[in-house]
Amino acid sequence: MKTAISTLALERPKHLKHALTLLHESLATERLTPLAGGTDLFVYLNAGSHRGTRFLDLAPCAELRGIKAIKGGIRIGALETFDRIARHPKMTAWPLLVQAARCVGAAQIQNRGTIGGNIANASPAGDSLPVLLAYDAIVHVASVRGERTIPFRDLQTGYRQLALEADELIVAVEIPDVAAGAKQFFRKVGTRAAQSISKVVFAGVLVPGRGGQWSHVRLAWGSMAPITQRSLRAEAALLAHKPSAQAAAWANVALGEDLVPIDDIRSDAEYRLSAARHVLAQFLRSSHAGFRG
């Protein structure tokens, strides 16, 4: 049953400090649900599956906007939309996030959906999440007690669960610079080319080192498990090895040990693992001729 709009209440803070105060004070009664782009929340309200009745509109919080270069990387405000991320000239150094941003629903969703909301929603199928994991992103969160940072790899603690206190808000995400010469790859596998929830979503980064060996490897996956995950054994099979058909074969075997895919209404585990193997092989072949044998 749809949620009756007449039963809902909306708080509109004047700025971020005000928002954090309202969120903290709401814990005494019913916690305010933060509202950013609303692209997921409105679906839940339409389905009647969201239990909360009080919402915190973050739109007035100018502190949550902006994309700016910082020492060693870039900082993206939590309210930045995927369309703005995809179009911003500074984002060309992080092409995986630009590609992911252009895969988030239709143009209307990209104009409303925010990177902070995608992180907070913590869906296993979130298109930007494997990218943030592959890029070793840092998430900035704030409360009335101040601001702290959480490595993205430590943020998701379970299905749609985050390592946040109840009165903390995601305020920004920081992505470090990518090493020169890095090979980067993004792939989303869905039922169609656009406006599709992923069956498998992947982001990979390979950085060449001395002697033709890889000095840095990140292989990150979404829609495979309750949380976004890296395939650590497959990474180890490639790290400090030269590109070769043998190294690719080792990584393929290791991937089967890393991933225990979920079954759900969009796909089954067998298909997901098969697709992941093909995606990894595609990444490796596109990265270096040595992987082709």
Side-chain angles (χ1 to χ4, degrees), residues 23-93:
L23 181 59
H24 178 76
E25 291 175 348
S26 74
L27 301 187
T29 53
E30 179 192 330
R31 178 182 182 269
L32 289 164
T33 298
L35 173 61
T39 56
D40 287 305
L41 183 58
F42 293 157
V43 172
Y44 304 148
L45 291 173
N46 186 63
S49 59
H50 183 80
R51 296 181 180 179
T53 62
R54 303 180 64 214
F55 300 88
L56 181 64
D57 184 8
L58 300 178
C61 301
E63 303 94 328
L64 302 182
R65 303 184 190 280
I67 299 175
K68 62 180 180 180
I70 58 174
K71 184 178 180 180
I74 198 162
R75 179 179 168 118
I76 306 171
L79 286 186
E80 287 299 323
T81 66
F82 287 108
D83 182 70
R84 279 182 50 82
I85 289 169
R87 294 176 183 273
H88 201 282
K90 286 187 171 65
M91 291 306 305
T92 56

Side-chain angles (χ1 to χ4, degrees), residues 109-124:
I109 298 297
Q110 293 167 21
N111 274 281
R112 288 284 307 177
T114 65
I115 191 165
N118 207 224
I119 295 170
N121 193 41
S123 167

Side-chain angles (χ1 to χ4, degrees), residues 3 15 21 25 34 95 98 108 121 146 161 175 177 194 208 213 222 243-244 281-282 285 292:
T3 302
H15 42 66
T21 299
E25 291 175 348
V98 172
Q108 297 92 330
N121 193 41
Q161 296 178 346
I175 306 177
D177 289 330
Q213 299 178 340
S244 66
Q282 184 182 13
R285 289 195 303 268
R292 303 169 196 165

Side-chain angles (χ1 to χ4, degrees), residues 88-191:
H88 201 282
K90 286 187 171 65
M91 291 306 305
T92 56
W94 294 271
L96 303 187
L97 188 54
V98 172
Q99 293 175 58
R102 284 299 182 218
C103 290
V104 178
Q108 297 92 330
I109 298 297
Q110 293 167 21
N111 274 281
R112 288 284 307 177
T114 65
I115 191 165
N118 207 224
I119 295 170
N121 193 41
S123 167
D127 293 323
S128 72
L129 306 189
V131 173
L132 299 178
L133 186 58
Y135 277 151
D136 295 325
I138 301 293
V139 178
H140 293 252
V141 303
S143 70
V144 293
R145 296 173 299 283
E147 186 172 315
R148 67 186 179 111
T149 60
I150 306 172
F152 185 81
R153 65 177 180 272
D154 299 328
L155 185 64
Q156 294 178 291
T157 59
Y159 178 70
R160 295 186 182 274
Q161 296 178 346
L162 300 176
L164 297 181
E165 299 297 329
D167 62 347
E168 285 184 316
L169 285 176
I170 296 169
V171 296
V173 60
E174 180 182 327
I175 306 177
D177 289 330
V178 181
K183 305 297 183 181
Q184 304 184 51
F185 188 88
F186 176 82
R187 178 71 190 276
K188 176 177 177 175
V189 179
T191 54

Side-chain angles (χ1 to χ4, degrees), residues 239-258:
L239 188 64
H241 288 94
K242 292 182 178 181
S244 66
Q246 182 62 68
W250 288 335
N252 181 65
V253 171
L255 191 66
E257 300 172 355
D258 284 321

Side-chain angles (χ1 to χ4, degrees), residues 4 14 20 30 34 62 64 86 115-116 118 139 176 180 182 189-191 195 200 221 223 227 279 286 291:
K14 298 176 181 178
L20 295 175
E30 179 192 330
L64 302 182
I115 191 165
N118 207 224
V139 178
V189 179
T191 54
Q195 300 185 46
V200 175
W221 306 87
S223 287
I227 64 173
V279 169
S286 68
F291 284 123

